[in-house]
Amino acid sequence: WLDDADEEERSAFYEELYCLMRDAPIIGIACVVDRPGYNHRYYERYGRRPWDLCKTAFAVAVERAAKCAIERGRKLNVYPERCNKPEDRLLRAYFESLKSEGMPFDTSNSGKYGPLTPEQF
């Protein structure tokens, strides 16, 4: 329907959408992983068996959200988008690992970021 709207209607829609997002009482958190940089950094250590990028992005995004919740004295609920049974099992395993083992990164490299402990998750 937006394609059929005139310029004035389209502009009004986008302005209202912007205001809705700006005023919503939510915080958006994202994680972007540079695949070429990631591959270059870890190829020597892991060869052709590096971590899945989704595990890295999941751990980083959940930790950022958890730190934000802790800072605000809130509880965090994580609801990843459902996909298929194998992928859903992987995400559940990533999350359970965070709660039982903490961040999956080498502490000598990640210590400067103040990774959360399993108890904090």
Side-chain angles (χ1 to χ4, degrees):
W1 66 265
L2 199 54
D3 285 340
D4 295 331
D6 63 32
E7 186 58 37
E8 186 177 329
E9 289 175 309
R10 225 182 341 266
S11 292
F13 170 78
Y14 284 124
E15 179 61 23
E16 289 178 26
L17 178 61
Y18 166 76
C19 291
L20 174 70
M21 291 186 300
R22 180 196 63 203
D23 298 337
I26 61 171
I27 297 170
I29 296 176
C31 176
V32 176
V33 180
D34 173 45
R35 184 182 299 270
Y38 179 89
N39 288 337
H40 176 74
R41 182 175 185 177
Y42 295 108
Y43 183 80
E44 191 172 308
R45 183 181 295 174
Y46 299 108
R48 298 217 179 268
R49 305 256 338 167
W51 287 15
D52 291 331
L53 288 178
C54 61
K55 181 177 184 178
T56 298
F58 183 85
V60 170
V62 170
E63 184 187 47
R64 288 177 182 170
K67 284 180 175 181
C68 186
I70 290 168
E71 183 180 290
R72 288 165 176 73
R74 304 290 179 116
K75 179 182 176 184
L76 175 67
N77 291 306
V78 177
Y79 299 102
E81 181 179 349
R82 304 235 11 195
C83 182
N84 56 50
K85 288 183 181 186
E87 299 291 329
D88 291 347
R89 275 193 296 275
L90 273 177
L91 288 176
R92 248 185 257 97
Y94 297 161
F95 192 61
E96 291 305 318
S97 177
L98 285 174
K99 293 190 298 184
S100 65
E101 301 168 26
M103 291 297 279
F105 307 118
D106 179 355
T107 54
S108 64
N109 291 334
S110 64
K112 63 186 172 188
Y113 300 109
L116 295 180
T117 65
E119 296 76 28
Q120 289 172 302
F121 278 109

